[in-house]
Amino acid sequence: YVLQNPGCELGEIPDLPSSAYRLLRTKFKPFTSTVHSVFHSTDGVTTKLLIKLQNGAFVEAVIMTYDTRLGKYGGKPRLGGPRSTLCISSQVGCKMGCKFCATGTMGFKNNLTSGEIVEQLVHASLLTNIRNIVFMWHHFDTISCHVVSENDDDDGIYVLMGMGEPLNNYTALVEAIRVMTGSPFQLSPKRITVSTVGIIHAINKLHSDLPGLNLAVSLHAPVQEIRCQIMPSARAFPLEKLMTALQTYQKNSQQKIFIEYIMLDGMNDEELQAHQLGKLLETFQVVVNLIPFNPIGSSSQFRTSSDQKVSDFQKILRGTYNIRTTVRKQMGQDISGACGQLVVNLPDKRTRENTSLLTDIEDLRI
């Protein structure tokens, strides 16, 4: 009823036990978050929502509308039509501190509750019909912008972005996805992607808790040394142990794993790294998504790889190792909605008063 009547009061909901109304009125509210601002990109397909939480903090969610007919399969345009993917935030800021990501500059503020996560879907659904969900690891997440590829076997893999490392907010993530796949949302687990920097202990239990999801791993380097240089958190998750966890995950799930790889000029984009990555992944069923770096200010220590380097890297993975490899098209840069650019620029005004925060209706345990 609340989804169909977003402005309603809980007392207006018909056919509940009389004792429920007082409980709902005093202990809950239909929404604990509000849409503060909506930004539409000039690309015509990207919309960013700035969402204010009840504690005064802000998070961002991004809607990407893409047309599956732009991709090709077997040399012919793919079937389908316009579809919308929502990239959802799971935390305010991020504690992983990746050096190429704007969200990491915010630091970590707090985890979102499952209700605050679900409400991003509700807010976005009032603007468009959402088909796919992506929980982005602080700046990426998979299955959402249209992918540009030289090869016509592009199978419509898409990639987007949100805030936070989802697996660092594991309990709320699992609860939110269970709501999204249940009534009334009824989203298919196959259309939900969780992206992670590689939290090994969480990956080890993800399939048993949420079978059927897509898993995307932000790898970004084929060797531990380079990975630690650009992703300080990688020290806690050694590459060898991460790959073992992914092997077990794939064996149990029997699903492809999506590999995110940001292209940083002179850092991880040489032919040597392409061959190292190919050898690292050749026993897996994966799709590699190469991501041109989005600058996050003039002080950035990284530069974007040239188109030629990206193309050469892709050709090695495809030609030598037969690994399906796509290149991400940049969208939403003018509204700082592109990958790596999600960072809330408004001051974090903690309007939290002495009164206790109300529970979001999605957080009700039954």
Side-chain angles (χ1 to χ4, degrees), residues 9 30 36-38 46 85 122 164 187-188 190 199 211 215 219 240 250 258 273 281 283 289 300 319 334:
E9 296 294 330
H36 181 276
S37 309
V38 177
T46 310
T85 291
V122 177
L187 288 173
S188 167
K190 294 180 180 179
I199 313 298
L215 176 65
L219 201 59
E240 184 178 349
Q250 186 153 78
F258 299 95
Q273 281 96 43
L281 299 174
T283 61
N289 188 223
S300 174
D334 59 315

Side-chain angles (χ1 to χ4, degrees), residues 56-328:
F58 291 86
V59 293
E60 294 177 334
V62 177
I63 301 170
M64 182 71 71
T65 302
Y66 59 94
D67 194 329
T68 57
R69 294 168 295 187
L70 296 175
K72 292 185 178 182
Y73 186 78
K76 298 178 181 179
R78 295 180 61 84
L79 300 176
R83 294 173 179 172
S84 292
T85 291
L86 174 66
C87 216
I88 287 183
S89 294
S90 56
Q91 298 178 313
V92 181
C94 182
K95 66 174 66 172
M96 307 314 286
C98 296
K99 296 182 179 180
F100 49 80
C101 175
T103 308
T105 65
M106 291 176 62
F108 173 71
K109 306 295 177 64
N110 60 269
N111 285 323
L112 300 189
T113 68
S114 58
E116 289 170 332
I117 293 172
V118 172
E119 283 194 6
Q120 294 172 69
L121 171 58
V122 177
H123 291 313
S125 296
L126 297 177
L127 299 179
T128 185
N129 183 40
I130 300 297
R131 184 177 185 269
N132 296 332
I133 296 288
V134 173
F135 288 88
M136 202 45 210
W137 151 68
H138 55 240
H139 85 280
F140 305 110
D141 236 339
T142 325
I143 308 297
S144 184
C145 325
H146 180 64
V147 172
V148 175
S149 158
E150 296 176 357
N151 204 347
D152 46 287
D153 69 350
D154 176 2
D155 65 347
I157 304 305
Y158 298 92
V159 189
L160 251 185
M161 59 250 77
M163 291 170 61
E165 162 56 70
L167 297 190
N168 274 345
N169 190 12
Y170 189 84
T171 300
L173 173 78
V174 170
E175 290 175 352
I177 291 176
R178 285 174 176 165
V179 171
M180 292 173 179
T181 55
S183 177
F185 299 103
Q186 300 288 357
L187 288 173
S188 167
K190 294 180 180 179
R191 292 178 178 169
I192 299 177
T193 299
V194 172
S195 180
T196 177
V197 68
I199 313 298
I200 294 173
H201 63 273
I203 292 173
N204 287 337
K205 58 181 180 175
L206 186 63
H207 175 67
S208 60
D209 287 337
L210 294 169
L213 290 184
N214 296 300
L215 176 65
V217 179
S218 293
L219 201 59
H220 304 317
V223 295
Q224 180 70 358
E225 181 183 359
I226 299 176
R227 206 162 183 259
C228 288
Q229 288 179 38
I230 60 179
M231 304 165 66
S233 62
R235 295 185 181 91
F237 309 107
L239 189 58
E240 184 178 349
K241 291 183 179 180
L242 174 58
M243 301 312 292
T244 299
L246 294 181
Q247 210 144 30
T248 302
Y249 182 91
Q250 186 153 78
K251 181 180 178 182
N252 292 336
S253 68
Q254 297 296 305
Q255 291 176 245
K256 285 188 178 73
I257 295 173
F258 299 95
I259 301 295
E260 307 291 355
Y261 195 96
I262 193 166
M263 300 293 289
L264 302 171
D265 184 46
M267 175 64 71
N268 65 353
D269 63 347
E270 306 294 342
E271 289 188 12
L272 171 62
Q273 281 96 43
H275 285 290
Q276 288 173 328
L277 183 62
K279 291 172 183 173
L280 185 69
L281 299 174
E282 60 186 349
T283 61
F284 288 84
Q285 291 294 314
V286 297
V287 177
V288 175
N289 188 223
L290 302 179
I291 306 161
F293 170 60
N294 285 315
I296 53 175
S298 57
S299 61
S300 174
Q301 66 185 93
F302 300 115
R303 296 187 306 275
T304 305
S305 299
S306 67
D307 291 345
Q308 185 62 50
K309 272 194 170 182
V310 174
S311 178
D312 291 344
F313 203 96
Q314 181 187 39
K315 287 176 180 175
I316 290 171
L317 292 177
R318 280 182 163 169
T320 304
Y321 300 95
N322 196 30
I323 294 174
R324 183 168 293 171
T325 308
T326 57
V327 178
R328 180 176 303 178

